[in-house]
Amino acid sequence: MATVHHSACPLNCWDSCGFLVTVEDGKVTKVEGNPEHPITQGKICGRGRMLENRANSEDRLLYPLKKIEGRFQQISWEQALGEIAEKLAYYKDNFGTISVLHSHDYSNSGLLSNLDSRFFNLYGGVTELTGSICWGSGIEAQNWDFGDAYSHAPEDLENSKHVVIWGRNVARTNMHLFQNLQAVKKNGTKIYVIDPIYNATAKLANEYISIKPGFDGLLAAGIMKELLRMELQDVEFLANQTVGFEDLKTLLDSVTLEYISQVTEVPAEIITLLAGVYADRPVSTIMGLGMQRYENGGNTIRLLDALVAVSGNIGIAGGGANYANKQVGQSFDYQNMAMPEQKKASRTFTMMRQAEGILSAVDPEIKMGIVTCGNPLTQVPDTNRVRKAFESLETLVVIDQFMTDTAELADYVLPAATAFEVEDVYYSSMYHHYVNHGPKLVEPPGEAKPDAWIWEELATRLGFGDEFNFTREEFIGMGLAALTEKGISLDKIRVEKFAELPVDKIPWADRSFKTPSGKYEFTSSAVADGKIKLSLPTETKWTNSELAEKYPYTLLTIHPLRSNHSQHFHLFQPEPYVKVEIAESVAAEKGLKDQDYVRVWNDRGEVKGTVSIFKMAHPGTVNIDEGLSARFGGSVNQLTSSRESDNGLGSTLYDCLVNIEKVEKG
């Protein structure tokens, strides 16, 4: 008999939806939205619905695998865990614990996905990854400006006169915000979209502004110049709640509006128009993640933050520099779970440059890698170098649900349970501030096991199993310790299905910032050189004319519509393929038409795919969605750079020039 249960989406996504899941004969048969959820209200996207297919796919990993003479063979859990533990002990004794790399990403937002940190800290500390391919430079930028990265609650949008969606296609990545925008627009709120691509969100806008990719910070600088020229700045806020404004003024005086219009390829009159919009408070600025994936990415977000500050839209209802909402994740007690005090040694590589780290590490070399919650061979920039790095390891262990490109390289592959096969709580630090409960609904197929079980078994073999001798319920309780004191316990969440976390719905309303000065900092005192700069992308005609002549087109690598990064593509019917979306200007210059087969290349690599011409996109723009594995044509990261952003904590995925030509298919 079919039964329906509440559940939650585990995907690391903006919306963090509430689910209703149908179970019949021990299998998940349907995933739908839960209409009781206060934010997602019964509507979910195709990525969420496809979790049913993930759980039931015949391609699921069901047994531990070991590569023997180049081929995977099924082995027992006892053998797999015993041999992996033996190797961990060997590398620890002979080379030190930091000879082991933990390559971790964020494919799952479950609280207990953090137990891997507990294991590696108790092991003694390993080489870990810092920063983020996804949003790292923007987070660091807001740390410098505000002291943290906080956003307004979803319902505050009702208070906005104007909403500026800057570099973010919420129709694709944040469907419930899109619905919220539709509602406030009906009530008179004006919506502006600034983006290189005329996307589904732009269709909703009162005004669409096309911009050259990577030049968003310069546009913000131009808007600020016009605000100051027209004396529309918030004088009281600037005088009493900020530091470093004179440095910003000096910076803005160093460029002309004509120069800004030229490099951003935005008409001067539009810049003036946007200055008037920002002065007509309250204005909510909703930022995307793509525009900080350039070498100037940190400064881009700092300039957007500065625009929000200069225009007086910080700490007011309907305002905000809305990029991330870290107060959501800060509600949980990671220290209780991770036990960082047990770490005896430490070494870090940035997530973007883990391949370079592996290949260049000495004293000790990286001997072993363990990959959790990620697929670096598809998702990390500069795929060819990543492959070389992971192939160089003596031992590679991958914990996953499917045979990914990274798992193909492994010596051991361990089958993991899906979200419907364990109990956990789920949340996202990007949009809303609710935590959702996900009960265990079905048993894992074959011999697949929860991650926590794998860590406990390895810990027992390595002599610190007592620190994993807790039930899943007890581990969740550790993470909820501070919330339990505020009346939000696991028992409560189990019954009520979700709970509102205690966050500031209008951040910085008290004008008390988390910076060293306690004020908004145009010039950050947290770092040696904290001044904002008018920096440009590295791969552009303005900074490298020789490279731009060879590779004249800007490549974007946006998130796919139906897959959360690389997680769902293998489930698509019909099978996916590399779609090369190009601006009309590119098509005209290269004589290309829809369905032509092309090669896209630069000095790092090449990708071949099928042309689709954008209905409207900024001249010179090319896009290939990220996440495709080698079997479907290869990752677009064969073209992207592993350079770090200006503040060292973000990727430069979009700072990428390419060329394109028609080729014969075959």
Side-chain angles (χ1 to χ4, degrees), residues 102-107 113 116 120 370-375 397-399 451 455:
H102 177 210
S103 179
H104 174 89
D105 213 321
Y106 303 96
S107 66
S113 65
D116 49 10
F120 289 113
I370 299 181
V371 178
T372 63
C373 292
N375 181 14
V397 178
V398 172
I399 301 173
D451 292 28
W455 300 126

Side-chain angles (χ1 to χ4, degrees), residues 483-558:
L483 289 170
T484 301
E485 296 173 5
K486 299 174 182 178
I488 303 175
S489 64
L490 177 57
D491 286 340
K492 177 183 175 69
I493 300 172
R494 279 172 167 169
V495 172
E496 299 184 4
K497 307 178 184 66
F498 23 76
E500 185 175 10
L501 296 171
V503 303
D504 290 335
K505 295 184 179 182
I506 302 175
W508 322 119
D510 60 357
R511 299 298 196 269
S512 178
F513 298 92
K514 294 173 69 175
T515 56
S517 67
K519 296 184 177 184
Y520 179 90
E521 296 192 354
F522 292 106
T523 297
S524 174
S525 56
V527 292
D529 181 12
K531 291 183 179 180
I532 299 175
K533 300 174 178 61
L534 294 176
S535 52
L536 303 178
T538 295
E539 297 194 14
T540 172
K541 66 181 180 181
W542 297 100
T543 46
N544 192 333
S545 58
E546 186 177 336
L547 184 71
E549 189 170 336
K550 187 177 180 182
Y551 303 116
Y553 304 118
T554 299
L555 176 69
L556 302 179
T557 56
I558 66 177

Side-chain angles (χ1 to χ4, degrees), residues 105 133 375-381 565-566 626-628 635 637 653:
D105 213 321
I133 293 170
N375 181 14
L377 203 67
T378 300
Q379 296 299 148
V380 173
H565 305 296
S566 63
E626 55 92 8
L628 270 183
S635 171
N637 283 324
L653 286 165

Side-chain angles (χ1 to χ4, degrees), residues 127-189:
T127 298
E128 300 171 287
L129 302 179
T130 60
S132 167
I133 293 170
C134 187
W135 67 352
S137 56
I139 295 294
E140 184 68 359
Q142 292 208 320
N143 286 341
W144 293 7
D145 297 338
F146 298 94
D148 216 327
Y150 293 167
S151 288
H152 290 224
E155 60 267 29
D156 183 57
L157 208 64
E158 297 174 1
N159 297 313
S160 304
K161 267 193 190 179
H162 307 274
V163 180
V164 179
I165 310 292
W166 205 318
R168 185 163 149 198
N169 184 7
V170 300
R172 175 177 284 206
T173 61
N174 193 179
M175 64 179 290
H176 298 94
L177 172 55
F178 185 75
Q179 292 173 319
N180 204 356
L181 289 170
Q182 290 174 312
V184 298
K185 184 182 179 183
K186 288 180 181 177
N187 291 329
T189 300

